[in-house]
Amino acid sequence: MAYIERNQRSGRRALLAIITGLLFLFLIYGFIRLQILERDKYTERSLNNSVRKIEKLPVRGLILDRDGDILVDNRPAFVIAVVPREITPEAIEFAARVSAVSVAEIKAKMKAEFGFHPIVIARDVTYEQVVAIEENSLDYPGLLVRVESKRYYPEEIFSPHIFGTIGEVTEAEIKENSFYQSGDLIGKNGLEKVYDTELRGEQGIQFKRVNASGKILGDFDSPLNTSGKHGSDLFLALDYDLQAFAESLFVDRLGSLVAIDPRDGSVLAMVTKPDYDPRLLAGQIRPEIWQSLLNDKTHPLYNRSIQNGYPPGSTYKIVAAIAALQEKLITPAWSATCPGYFQLGRRTIHCWNLKGHGTLDLQGAIKNSCNVYFFKLGLKIGLDTWAKYSQLFGFGSRTGIDLPNESKGLVPTREYYNRRYGVNGWTSGHLANLAIGQGELLTTPLQIAQFVTILANRGFYYSPHLTDHFYEYDPPQIIDYQTERMEVPGIDADVYEVVLEGMRQVMAGGTGRQGKVEGIEMAGKTGTAQNPHGKSHAWFMAFAPFVNPEIAIAVILENSGGGGANAAPLARKVLEKHFFGHEIIKPVFIKSGLDSLIDQAEPEAFPFPEIQPIQIVPNIGDN
Amino acid sequence: MASWTRLLKIDWLLLSLVTALLSFGLIAVYSATHTGEGDFSSHFSKQMSAALLGLLLMLLTARVPFRFLSGLSWIAYALSILLLILVDLFGVRGFGAERWLALGPIKIQPSEFAKISTVMAVAQYLSQRGSDIKKWKSVAIAGAILFVPFALVIKQPDLGTALVFIAVSIPMLIWAGASWFFMFVLLSPAITMLISFKLVLFVLWISLILLLTIFSTRRTWLVVAMLLLHIGVGSVTPMAWNKLHPYQQKRITTFLNPEQDPRGSGYQIIQSQVAIGSGGFWGKGFMNGTQSQLKFLPAQHTDFIFSVVAEEWGLFGVTLALILFFGLILYLLDLATDVRSSFSSFALIGLTSILIFHVFINIAMTIGFAPVTGLPLPFFSYGRSFLISIMLMMGLVMNFSANQFEL
């Protein structure tokens, strides 16, 4: 059909012309209706009674702990706003002087809007600034003082990494979520970000009749008026007494602690140090404070519990033990002799106990955290099986906790090593190192806590979460956090029993006995992660009681030496607080020979091969 | 006289209509963005320079050799698909600027360009020897040419612009001589999707389809296929809907019914209607619109520019503008009938459809007859990329007019 007959075209032209004509007639009809038939109605509205939209800011929901104690509250804050349509150049200059914002900045903000919609130029201003604006309101029209709310934290509340901050929405965030309007305050981090939609509530809209100079004449009876919605209150599973106590133990230390209730996955405490005072980032933020937080070498802005990958040290021997048992590579009775060193090719690697542990079976090796035993075990297991079991227990992937920017950590696989060192560039030495939780392996404290939760439950778990429930105001109702019971597949019950018995012995006279709570049977494992930049990191993980566990805990203290001597006692105090409501004061005791040995910061690991200096892994996306 | 006009390849009637519409639009932009400080607003001067550049582009496009132009269609089409994909990639990484692509200081909107090049490509295909609109294969190919840019634009997500691709296809298929039954088969699934939420309506609709199909064709397989297709679409749609998050559902319902969203579109429509209604027959006069001068009207220099026209120039100005638009459209339809080359003919129909769709949807939106989609009004709405693309379209039209005797 290369050429269309002309008369055919004429017919179709007439059809299209008629359709278009009808469309245009339809439009004309619409204009006649508005401009002729209903003209009076609209003229009246426009000349005398134009409609203005008044926005009523919603109250942001509170954050409370499991006892209903308020952790994050609201307080009024004054903001200075300009009305672009009314403001004069002199008033802009005056506003700039009072609010310490440059004239250019104010003009740039005004560019986004014409008209009567007030634009915030300065937030959380002082009382003196408010007075200055109000006193001169007649001379400088178009300047407004409005009241907004800002976050307020009761005196004893810290934990900034959990709560996060709120701040003015950026243009990129508006593009991403058209729900936001410029000038809105939204959650920027932590729970405030994850649950922004729930916490923020909904703006109320009221249409008011205003005259052409902007004076409000009365209500405009519009079906579009909405009363707004109070933001939902967020109740955490967190026990803030425990949290505050745990934070107090971390004074002057770097590290993290995560405590989880294994029965439902709720996070009881999550400590990250160093931190900062959340009050510094509420309301107006002083740029020099922000800069100093940003430049601080200890990275106080990062949530170490979920964003930092650390080598897990000997806590990870448990993974190797489970893999070997489940794959039937060994029986629990399989034993190895530790002369205090291990010969791998031409290298000699030392166990942390240079005198040697003698002959040990699996439980003995766990109890004494014998490196030589686990080197040998690692070589038996092989990289692929080791990586498979690591992934089964959630390492190398996010736990899915309700906080943003969680890191996946890193579980090295065959592909990873081939990519990194070349196909033949890596040796069984790497594998031996991984089996004792060293090398490229990176885990977050939360992942270790989740791991010990799984052990506590003998195989099942709930993904860790801070939220217990939301309280919605309209209509009043409680919305529970939905958890799903998950199972680590393919691990037999007797495997757990063997390994957990080893971990029980760790607490009863083994390397972790300083973490033992008097009178409560528990299981745990210490770890000392080699750090090429300084003293080793101290690890400890445990759960209690041994039967029907109700708390699982993971602690890391950066650069603090041995896990048994440093991390374990700290965890014990937190557990005592949990079980008895206070720490149990112990008499000072004279160190026995074995204790002094543990205090020597057992060099469980050794530099083979070079351990990568990954300490701070800020804000890992997909790695 | 006639000889050098032919040589310059200027279609004076077309040029007059376009210039009249452009001038009208510039006056409206001036009034809508006027800041009260006496000098030209930066919006106006930007729009003015774009208009002049556009006129130049139009005259230059008219002089491109005709053969070259039709040969260019596929290349232009491929290029615009590439640009749309680029925009998609950058949109993920960049800060939300998914509709724009920055080429140094110039920002271009590939979807505007894609509308034109897609029309050209479809025209090229339909005018090829061997394509026959009575055959399913040809329809499928033409449909695929339209679908690729449609899907990419809807992903941006720019539903308004994406619908242009659908709107363009209907007149082009009619022009190619597609049968009524065929158009029905093509368009009815959309109605099924909308209707599938109400069971009674859905059953009635399916019966209607069944009747129409049985009357139109004797082929049993076609009847069965139609029936299965519609029952499938009708039962999948509600399931897909329930899979969406509440906020996604809200976005869609707001699109279909802006009155539900008083924060945004509902407010715009109220203000637009007040502005238009208060304009009366003669209007309030240039720069005297209280609604627009007091900036009650949101987006008054872009999507709602016609409300400013209606307020300040009244029904008189509205009618004048609509007559100019209608005149231009009739002239384009005439050209499409007269040109010898069937490529030109199809392309003209496609370009005219783009124009009709934009004009109708935008103006209907200002009076509350259509949802707020963000489709701008040709020649009037502020926005350089859009204006330039409209002028490029007019340049193509002028080219077809100048070469109307070529085959």
Side-chain angles (χ1 to χ4, degrees):
Chain A
M1 189 169 79
Y3 186 78
I4 310 166
E5 287 302 323
R6 194 172 165 115
N7 56 353
Q8 274 185 350
R9 277 193 192 170
S10 298
R12 289 170 198 152
R13 169 184 62 176
L15 176 69
L16 290 179
I18 288 169
I19 293 175
T20 314
L22 287 175
L23 290 178
F24 274 62
L25 280 179
F26 180 62
L27 292 180
I28 287 281
Y29 157 73
F31 281 98
I32 289 175
R33 204 188 67 180
L34 288 176
Q35 298 191 297
I36 307 294
L37 304 179
E38 296 179 359
R39 182 192 175 178
D40 293 343
K41 180 172 123 192
Y42 288 114
T43 306
E44 193 199 321
R45 268 199 214 171
S46 118
L47 287 182
N48 305 314
N49 311 305
S50 285
V51 180
R52 178 94 68 84
K53 186 169 69 170
I54 308 285
E55 292 160 355
K56 231 177 88 191
L57 296 176
V59 180
R60 197 170 175 89
L62 307 180
I63 301 180
L64 305 93
D65 81 347
R66 63 164 56 206
D67 302 326
D69 293 337
I70 295 177
L71 307 179
V72 182
D73 202 345
N74 295 309
R75 285 288 183 274
F78 294 110
V79 300
I80 300 177
V82 298
V83 180
R85 185 65 202 169
E86 292 172 351
I87 197 145
T88 58
E90 301 81 57
I92 294 182
E93 265 171 49
F94 175 71
R97 260 204 320 283
V98 173
S99 61
V101 180
S102 73
V103 172
E105 251 176 274
I106 296 178
K107 285 195 167 156
K109 284 193 172 177
M110 279 166 48
K111 239 188 179 147
E113 304 243 7
F114 309 104
F116 290 106
H117 182 68
I119 295 166
V120 174
I121 57 166
R123 286 203 141 90
D124 195 22
V125 295
T126 63
Y127 194 64
E128 286 73 26
Q129 288 170 301
V130 171
V131 172
I133 297 283
E134 292 288 358
E135 272 179 350
N136 295 289
S137 61
L138 286 180
D139 299 336
Y140 300 116
L143 281 180
L144 282 183
V145 171
R146 297 211 303 180
V147 181
E148 238 180 28
S149 63
K150 66 166 175 176
R151 282 308 206 186
Y152 169 81
Y153 305 89
E155 210 177 322
E156 67 285 2
I157 304 298
F158 285 86
S159 328
H161 301 103
I162 296 179
F163 306 131
T165 50
I166 55 178
E168 197 167 314
V169 67
T170 64
E171 224 155 284
E173 286 161 334
I174 295 177
K175 288 256 167 91
E176 211 168 278
N177 187 349
S178 57
F179 183 74
Y180 295 135
Q181 282 185 316
S182 77
D184 277 1
L185 288 176
I186 67 163
K188 292 287 188 180
N189 213 328
L191 292 167
E192 300 270 22
K193 178 174 181 176
V194 173
Y195 294 118
D196 191 58
T197 330
E198 286 82 359
L199 289 169
R200 65 183 294 107
E202 271 173 33
Q203 214 171 36
I205 307 283
Q206 285 201 306
F207 290 94
K208 299 273 188 188
R209 292 182 298 128
V210 293
N211 67 11
S213 58
K215 196 171 164 240
I216 292 177
L217 300 176
D219 288 330
F220 175 71
D221 186 26
S222 167
L224 303 179
N225 285 350
T226 60
S227 53
K229 210 170 156 191
H230 192 299
S232 303
D233 288 344
L234 168 55
F235 284 77
L236 300 183
L238 208 66
D239 173 357
Y240 208 83
D241 287 340
L242 188 69
Q243 171 82 12
F245 176 75
E247 283 187 14
S248 73
L249 299 176
F250 273 78
V251 170
D252 295 336
R253 297 175 119 154
L254 306 183
S256 160
L257 175 148
V258 180
I260 294 177
D261 185 337
R263 292 167 296 187
D264 61 1
S266 55
V267 174
L268 300 170
M270 179 183 269
V271 179
T272 285
K273 290 278 174 167
D275 58 0
Y276 55 91
D277 187 343
R279 280 152 276 258
L280 293 175
L281 300 186
Q284 196 181 24
I285 301 169
R286 305 227 314 269
E288 66 273 19
I289 289 181
W290 177 246
Q291 273 309 318
S292 77
L293 285 173
L294 218 52
N295 296 336
D296 192 323
K297 287 213 164 54
T298 61
H299 301 278
L301 290 173
Y302 290 118
N303 186 348
R304 284 167 154 73
S305 307
I306 62 166
Q307 285 178 291
N308 255 23
Y310 300 90
S314 301
T315 56
Y316 216 78
K317 286 173 181 166
I318 302 301
V319 175
I322 292 176
L325 286 174
Q326 181 62 42
E327 295 288 320
K328 310 260 186 290
L329 299 171
I330 58 164
T331 63
W334 185 76
S335 44
T337 304
C338 168
Y341 63 88
F342 179 59
Q343 200 75 32
L344 184 68
R346 272 173 296 157
R347 285 171 197 264
T348 306
I349 313 163
H350 291 279
C351 187
W352 66 270
N353 183 350
L354 296 175
K355 294 171 193 150
H357 285 110
T359 300
L360 294 166
D361 65 359
L362 180 66
Q363 283 166 352
I366 292 175
K367 175 180 178 181
N368 295 303
S369 199
C370 174
N371 284 354
V372 170
Y373 185 95
F374 278 97
F375 287 144
K376 291 181 176 169
L377 196 58
L379 296 178
K380 265 178 119 60
I381 294 168
L383 181 60
D384 295 331
T385 306
W386 177 87
K388 179 186 135 195
Y389 278 85
S390 294
Q391 284 158 358
L392 274 184
F393 284 99
F395 294 105
S397 51
R398 299 191 183 92
T399 65
I401 191 171
D402 42 355
L403 284 177
N405 305 326
E406 191 188 352
S407 162
K408 285 177 175 177
L410 174 65
V411 171
T413 56
R414 183 174 293 278
E415 295 78 47
Y416 173 86
Y417 277 126
N418 285 344
R419 210 167 49 232
R420 179 153 178 180
Y421 298 112
V423 175
N424 295 315
W426 52 284
T427 64
S428 52
H430 287 85
L431 177 59
N433 222 12
L434 289 174
I436 61 158
Q438 291 292 154
E440 288 84 351
L441 175 66
L442 293 174
T443 62
T444 65
L446 178 64
Q447 284 173 333
I448 294 290
Q450 178 177 264
F451 176 53
V452 73
T453 300
I454 299 171
L455 295 175
N457 287 334
R458 280 78 169 166
F460 72 89
Y461 63 109
Y462 301 88
S463 62
H465 54 274
L466 289 155
T467 304
D468 185 70
H469 65 270
F470 275 97
Y471 177 78
E472 243 186 46
Y473 281 81
D474 184 29
Q477 58 176 324
I478 286 172
I479 296 171
D480 283 316
Y481 186 89
Q482 297 298 320
T483 50
E484 201 185 328
R485 186 185 147 118
M486 289 178 287
E487 195 99 32
V488 175
I491 312 260
D492 299 336
D494 51 344
V495 170
Y496 284 115
E497 285 323 310
V498 171
V499 171
L500 293 183
E501 173 55 26
M503 286 174 66
R504 199 188 60 76
Q505 291 176 17
V506 167
M507 305 307 298
T511 55
R513 71 189 179 289
Q514 290 194 38
K516 175 84 165 62
V517 178
E518 210 69 53
I520 294 178
E521 186 108 60
M522 41 189 294
K525 182 76 194 78
T526 58
T528 305
Q530 167 106 33
N531 171 13
H533 295 282
K535 260 177 109 176
S536 306
H537 299 321
W539 272 107
F540 182 65
M541 67 175 190
F543 66 83
F546 189 72
V547 182
N548 300 326
E550 54 182 77
I551 184 167
I553 193 167
V555 176
I556 179 167
L557 292 171
E558 290 179 17
N559 311 112
S560 293
N566 300 285
L570 191 150
R572 188 198 72 228
K573 289 173 191 171
V574 174
L575 293 174
E576 285 167 354
K577 173 82 179 166
H578 173 79
F579 284 110
F580 306 117
H582 56 83
E583 175 189 349
I584 297 170
I585 308 297
K586 289 216 166 121
V588 179
F589 57 92
I590 297 155
K591 286 179 174 178
S592 68
L594 185 57
D595 282 315
S596 60
L597 230 161
I598 295 172
D599 269 5
Q600 283 168 5
E602 65 261 57
E604 288 184 17
F606 55 95
F608 177 91
E610 286 221 336
I611 289 158
Q612 292 309 306
I614 303 173
Q615 295 305 314
I616 299 296
V617 189
N619 198 3
I620 297 178
D622 293 289
N623 51 353
Chain B
M1 159 88 193
S3 59
W4 68 264
T5 304
R6 283 234 61 81
L7 209 66
L8 276 177
K9 306 202 166 183
I10 292 178
D11 180 334
W12 290 103
L13 182 58
L14 179 67
L15 188 61
S16 326
L17 281 168
V18 166
T19 314
L21 281 164
L22 255 187
S23 317
F24 206 162
L26 281 169
I27 291 169
V29 167
Y30 181 81
S31 178
T33 60
H34 159 79
T35 49
E37 283 165 20
D39 49 348
F40 286 170
S41 68
S42 67
H43 284 104
F44 175 73
S45 42
K46 281 180 185 168
Q47 183 79 347
M48 184 77 191
S49 59
L52 292 176
L53 186 68
L55 277 173
L56 189 69
L57 182 69
M58 173 176 171
L59 296 177
L60 284 178
T61 314
R63 293 183 57 83
V64 174
F66 182 69
R67 290 268 149 237
F68 180 65
L69 199 66
S70 62
L72 204 65
S73 302
W74 291 116
I75 299 169
Y77 179 73
L79 187 66
S80 55
I81 297 294
L82 183 72
L83 285 175
L84 282 176
I85 292 171
L86 278 180
V87 146
D88 189 37
L89 293 178
F90 282 116
V92 175
R93 191 150 13 109
F95 281 100
E98 57 266 41
R99 295 189 195 181
W100 297 90
L101 206 58
L103 292 177
I106 312 162
K107 284 199 290 185
I108 58 166
Q109 236 174 327
S111 56
E112 302 297 351
F113 184 52
K115 283 190 273 198
I116 304 173
S117 62
T118 306
V119 159
M120 303 285 280
V122 174
Q124 182 70 39
Y125 176 73
L126 289 178
S127 59
Q128 261 172 26
R129 202 175 299 276
S131 76
D132 181 357
I133 205 66
K134 300 268 185 312
K135 287 192 179 133
W136 287 94
K137 188 184 149 206
S138 299
V139 176
I141 291 174
I145 297 172
L146 283 159
F147 182 77
V148 174
F150 166 78
L152 285 168
V153 172
I154 212 165
K155 196 165 171 278
Q156 285 188 354
D158 185 354
L159 191 52
T161 305
L163 287 178
V164 175
F165 292 99
I166 306 279
V168 159
S169 65
I170 299 164
M172 288 186 91
L173 287 175
I174 292 180
W175 201 252
S179 72
W180 285 108
F181 175 67
F182 174 72
M183 298 303 295
F184 174 73
V185 171
L186 209 61
L187 296 177
S188 51
I191 301 176
T192 308
M193 278 176 85
L194 286 179
I195 251 174
S196 62
F197 292 90
K198 292 253 190 301
L199 189 65
V200 180
L201 279 181
F202 181 63
V203 171
L204 284 176
W205 171 243
I206 290 285
S207 335
L208 183 68
I209 289 172
L210 198 61
L211 280 177
L212 281 173
T213 321
I214 291 171
F215 273 113
S216 315
T217 176
R218 302 249 172 275
R219 280 169 288 183
T220 324
W221 68 265
L222 197 55
V223 178
V224 174
M226 271 298 269
L227 205 59
L228 285 179
L229 172 75
H230 283 272
I231 290 176
V233 169
S235 47
V236 164
T237 310
M239 280 197 284
W241 175 259
N242 290 332
K243 278 254 159 67
L244 293 177
H245 287 288
Y247 75 89
Q248 287 173 319
Q249 291 180 351
K250 199 178 165 208
R251 272 188 204 169
I252 295 173
T253 52
T254 303
F255 170 73
L256 296 172
N257 181 11
E259 304 279 332
Q260 275 187 353
D261 176 24
R263 282 176 60 128
S265 331
Y267 178 69
Q268 290 181 323
I269 286 180
I270 294 177
Q271 293 299 346
S272 172
Q273 287 180 339
V274 170
I276 293 169
S278 63
F281 187 79
W282 292 109
K284 296 176 187 169
F286 177 53
M287 308 259 291
N288 278 330
T290 51
Q291 295 297 294
S292 41
Q293 293 304 315
L294 290 177
K295 318 294 181 196
F296 278 119
L297 252 169
Q300 56 175 320
H301 60 303
T302 54
D303 295 354
F304 281 89
I305 187 90
F306 206 68
S307 313
V308 178
V309 173
E311 187 187 18
E312 300 192 342
W313 303 95
L315 186 60
F316 171 74
V318 167
T319 314
L320 185 66
L322 288 179
I323 287 176
L324 284 174
F325 272 124
F326 194 53
L328 178 62
I329 288 163
L330 283 187
Y331 181 65
L332 296 185
L333 289 177
D334 265 358
L335 262 184
T337 319
D338 291 342
V339 290
R340 284 191 70 198
S341 144
S342 79
F343 165 70
S344 302
S345 182
F346 279 120
L348 277 163
I349 287 301
L351 297 177
T352 313
S353 314
I354 295 178
L355 196 66
I356 295 174
F357 190 70
H358 270 274
V359 170
F360 178 73
I361 294 294
N362 179 282
I363 296 181
M365 172 183 82
T366 62
I367 52 179
F369 282 3
V372 176
T373 47
L375 274 184
L377 183 62
F379 306 112
F380 281 74
S381 285
Y382 173 78
R384 282 177 289 179
S385 191
F386 178 65
L387 185 60
I388 296 276
S389 77
I390 290 291
M391 295 307 285
L392 178 64
M393 279 168 53
M394 292 303 117
L396 290 170
V397 169
M398 199 178 265
N399 191 311
F400 298 142
S401 160
N403 301 307
Q404 55 184 295
F405 301 112
E406 294 209 22
L407 236 182

